[in-house]
Amino acid sequence: MKGDKTKLLRGDGADPEVFVEVAEILEVGDITISRETYDDTTFDSPDGYEEVGGGKKKVDPIDLKVKYKKDATTAALLRADIDSDEPVNYQIHWPDVPPTKKQIKALVTKIVMSTPQYENVTETFTFTPSGKIIPVA
């Protein structure tokens, strides 16, 4: 499956929540779920090997790179999200059939604007998730 046609949508927080597509996406960064471990080794651990137990799980921050458009409505909402202390719901829709859809609750924690000489001016938004990624029906 190719990544083109992947979409990111932003929720409006209403009930029922309406999601609006973020336009002109160039790249959705890696989505990584990681887990902490703790040392569970004892003097009786078999063959002298370390043993670990499972700790908290987390979704690592996700970067979204878009073409910069000063007046783009949804990008303006993402820019405003960095000032919010409350996480916002976002959905990612992949182009497989039937489409895979996932939802995350996240804070926008960083915005980077890049201005290369011979390419598009871009903005990269870093989303720091709160909680787990959930499937969307």
Side-chain angles (χ1 to χ4, degrees):
M1 167 177 71
K2 291 197 282 184
D4 64 334
K5 308 290 187 228
T6 298
K7 301 177 183 330
L8 181 114
L9 297 90
R10 181 191 181 278
D12 65 359
D15 187 19
E17 190 158 28
V18 175
F19 287 83
V20 178
E21 185 177 337
V22 176
E24 308 245 23
I25 295 175
L26 298 172
E27 182 178 338
V28 177
D30 295 341
I31 298 172
T32 303
I33 300 170
S34 59
R35 183 176 198 161
E36 295 176 355
T37 60
Y38 62 89
D39 188 353
D40 201 24
T41 309
T42 67
F43 290 141
D44 300 330
S45 293
D47 300 319
Y49 278 86
E50 176 183 66
E51 296 181 295
V52 297
K56 290 183 182 178
K57 297 173 281 264
K58 76 174 196 170
V59 182
D60 292 343
I62 302 165
D63 289 334
L64 174 76
K65 186 178 196 177
V66 299
K67 281 186 186 179
Y68 176 73
K69 298 268 181 158
K70 181 179 180 180
D71 299 324
T73 306
T74 311
L77 291 172
L78 294 178
R79 283 184 217 110
D81 286 346
I82 200 162
D83 292 324
S84 174
D85 292 333
E86 295 298 319
V88 174
N89 288 324
Y90 299 94
Q91 292 183 354
I92 301 172
H93 297 185
W94 285 272
D96 51 346
V97 179
T100 300
K101 299 177 182 181
K102 305 274 183 172
Q103 183 169 310
I104 60 169
K105 182 180 280 197
L107 290 170
V108 173
T109 54
K110 182 168 48 170
I111 302 172
V112 177
M113 189 171 187
S114 298
T115 311
Q117 185 174 3
Y118 298 108
E119 297 175 29
N120 291 315
V121 175
T122 63
E123 280 183 298
T124 300
F125 298 90
T126 299
F127 299 88
T128 300
S130 176
K132 73 187 267 186
I133 295 177
I134 57 173
V136 176

